[in-house]
Amino acid sequence: MAKKSIDLKRVLKKSFKSQRSIGQAPGTVTYVGARQDGRYAIDVLDYSNDMFHLQSLTDVNEALTFKDNITVSWFNIVGLSNEVEITKLGDHFNLNSLVLEDIVNTSQRPKVDEYDDYAFVTLKMIYLDDDYKSTIEHCGVVLCEHNVLLFQEIDADVFEGLRNRIKNKSGRIRSRGADYLFFTIIDAIVDQYFVVSENIASQIDDLEEEVYNNPKEETAQKIQQLKKEVLQVRKWVSPVKDLISRIIETDHRLISNETKVFFKDALDHSLQIYENIQLYREMTTNLMEIYMTNMSNKMNEVMKVLTIMASIFIPLTFIAGVYGMNFEYMPELQHRNAYFIVLGLMFIIFILMIIYFKRKKWL
C-alpha cells in the first residue's frame, strides 16, 4: 500500500511540474513548458513603403519608441519563460493578463481573441529538425494599430523568407498595413505545415515499401512512432482552420476586407492540410494492420514448411522405428539386401509425398 502512495505522489508531482498554472487565479502569467532557461530577446523590424530598419532591443522600455510610429513595426520576442519581461512588455502595449497567460502557456490550444485595440492569435509553429522529425513550438501573435508582436519559444522559426521579402521590398507587404503583416506571419506558419505534411507522406511511402518487401520487428516501432507524430501534428493543425475562419468573419476594425481576401487563401491551405493529415492518420493505422497481416503470413509460411517436413518424415520415422526395434526374430533383418530395400522404400515414399504436395499446391 505504501508503494502505491509513493507512485501516486510521483505522478502528481510530475503533473504539476508540467501544468504549473493549475489552481492559480485566471490571468496569472506563469510559464508552462519545458524551455525554462530564462533567455529573452527582442528584435524590431520597422518598415514603411520607403524605409526599412532592423534593431535588437536590450531593454523592454525601448519598445515604447516604436509603439506609436505610423510605420509598421514587427516585434519578434524570443523566450517565453522570462515571465517578468513578458509582463512588462504586455503592460507597455496594454495587453490583457489573460492574453499574457495564453502566450506563456505552451499547452494552449490554437485560438483567436478579439479586444478593442488589438487581436490575439495563438497557434503552433511546426517545422522539421535535423533528423526530419516534426518539431512543435508555441507562438503567439498580437495585432495592434501599427504593430505586430510575435512571441516565440526559441530562435528557430519559419519566417526567414518573410523577413527577406520585407528587407528587399519584394511583393506587396511594404505597401500595406500591420494587418497584412499579421496575415503573412500566420500564412508562413500554415505554409510550413505543407512541408511537414509532405515529410509524413514520404515516411509513409518508405514504410509501405518496407512493410510489403521486408517487414522486421523494428518496422512496427517505426509505424507506431510515425502514428504518434501524425496524431500530434493533427492535434495542433486541426483548430487552425476554425481560427482562420473566425478571422475572416470578424468585423474587427484592425483587419481590413482586403486582407480578409488573403486569409481565405490561407483557409484553403489549412483545410487541405487537415484533410491530408486525416488521410495520413488512416494510412498509418492501415500500415500497422498490413504489417501484422504480413508478419502473420510470414509465420504461416514458416509453419507450413515445417509441417510439410514433419509430414514427410512421419512415415520414414515409422519405418526406421519398426526396423530399429531390438527383437531377435525379425525375418526382414536376415535378408541380404534388406537395408537397401528399406532405404529405397523410404526414398520412394519421400518422392510420392512430394508429388502429392505439389498437386495439392502446398509447395
Side-chain angles (χ1 to χ4, degrees), residues 1 25 31 35 50 54 79 100 120 153 155 164 169 172 187 198 204 208 224 236 246 279 298 311 347 361:
M1 187 68 181
Y31 175 70
R35 304 182 185 277
D50 302 317
L54 178 62
L100 299 179
F120 167 66
E153 286 190 80
D155 289 332
N164 290 333
K169 199 179 179 181
R172 61 179 66 87
D187 186 57
E198 290 171 1
I204 290 176
E208 277 185 343
Q224 195 62 26
W236 300 120
R246 183 173 170 184
L279 176 62
K298 195 174 180 180
S311 300
F347 180 75
K361 295 184 180 179

Side-chain angles (χ1 to χ4, degrees), residues 288-318:
M288 183 59 76
E289 294 175 355
I290 295 171
Y291 168 80
M292 296 302 294
T293 301
N294 286 352
M295 291 300 289
S296 178
N297 291 340
K298 195 174 180 180
M299 182 61 68
N300 288 340
E301 286 295 323
V302 173
M303 295 302 297
K304 177 181 175 181
V305 172
L306 294 176
T307 302
I308 290 174
M309 292 176 63
S311 300
I312 290 173
F313 280 95
I314 284 174
L316 306 184
T317 303
F318 172 76

Side-chain angles (χ1 to χ4, degrees), residues 11-28:
V11 171
L12 291 175
K13 183 178 181 181
K14 183 177 181 181
S15 175
F16 280 105
K17 183 178 180 182
S18 61
Q19 298 288 341
R20 289 169 49 203
S21 62
I22 294 177
Q24 296 182 354
T28 303

